[in-house]
Amino acid sequence: MSLRAAPQRRPGLLPILVAVVVAIGTVGIAAAVGAQIGPGPTETGQGAYVTEHALAYWTWHETLLTTIPTPAPAKVSTTIGTPTVLPRAATSYSINAATAGQVAVAWTFDELTTAPRSTELAITFLDGLASPATSITVYVESDPRAPFVTTAFVFYWDAGTFAPGTLVVETMTATAVACTAIGTCP
């Protein structure tokens, strides 16, 4: 009498096919949905939705959903050649017309001690929300004196009438470019 092992059943293709479809569907849904920013911890990641084009001495530190402080910060220059001169102390600015208490996206940039003196920077903020993208370019000038400590500068974008609890950001880009001279920017 010989004993033969019972034939082993190999899993059918159906469970594997279902797993692949679920995986592809999940990736497709994730790719179609924008990043959500809510109150709480700051944005720390970069990827398809959040990108930075920075200078070695001007870095994007954090981004968060917040409200415009009271009083609303002064509006930064949007004119090439007449940049807002940055002070030695940490300061906040608005990149569009701002109303105290309104929902806002805030970017914090660090100016490092290696920043050149009296250099105009063009900083472009691009926010693609659930509505058409908003692009604002502002102009700042580094302090005429050499910085002695890393200084944080916060730029607020008044998000208007978006719900105060959440804001869907499809894309977010911050680009900082050093101008070749005051008034000579790309």
Side-chain angles (χ1 to χ4, degrees), residues 106-134:
W107 288 269
T108 302
F109 289 91
D110 288 334
E111 181 184 48
L112 306 181
T113 58
T114 55
R117 299 177 192 179
S118 298
T119 300
E120 184 172 7
L121 304 178
I123 307 166
T124 302
F125 300 92
L126 174 65
D127 269 321
L129 304 172
S131 61
T134 299

Side-chain angles (χ1 to χ4, degrees), residues 116-184:
R117 299 177 192 179
S118 298
T119 300
E120 184 172 7
L121 304 178
I123 307 166
T124 302
F125 300 92
L126 174 65
D127 269 321
L129 304 172
S131 61
T134 299
S135 179
I136 299 173
T137 300
V138 300
Y139 300 90
V140 297
E141 180 182 341
S142 58
D143 195 300
R145 300 166 293 171
F148 58 89
V149 64
T150 296
T151 307
F153 295 97
V154 181
F155 295 86
Y156 290 92
W157 175 69
D158 189 323
T161 57
F162 288 98
T166 186
L167 181 65
V168 176
V169 178
E170 298 295 336
T171 60
M172 182 186 303
T173 303
T175 303
V177 177
C179 303
T180 56
I182 301 295
T184 308

Side-chain angles (χ1 to χ4, degrees), residues 29-59:
I29 290 169
V33 176
Q36 289 192 6
I37 297 176
T42 59
E43 172 69 40
T44 56
Q46 292 193 20
Y49 302 112
V50 179
T51 57
E52 171 189 17
H53 306 282
L55 300 166
Y57 54 85
W58 183 265
T59 60

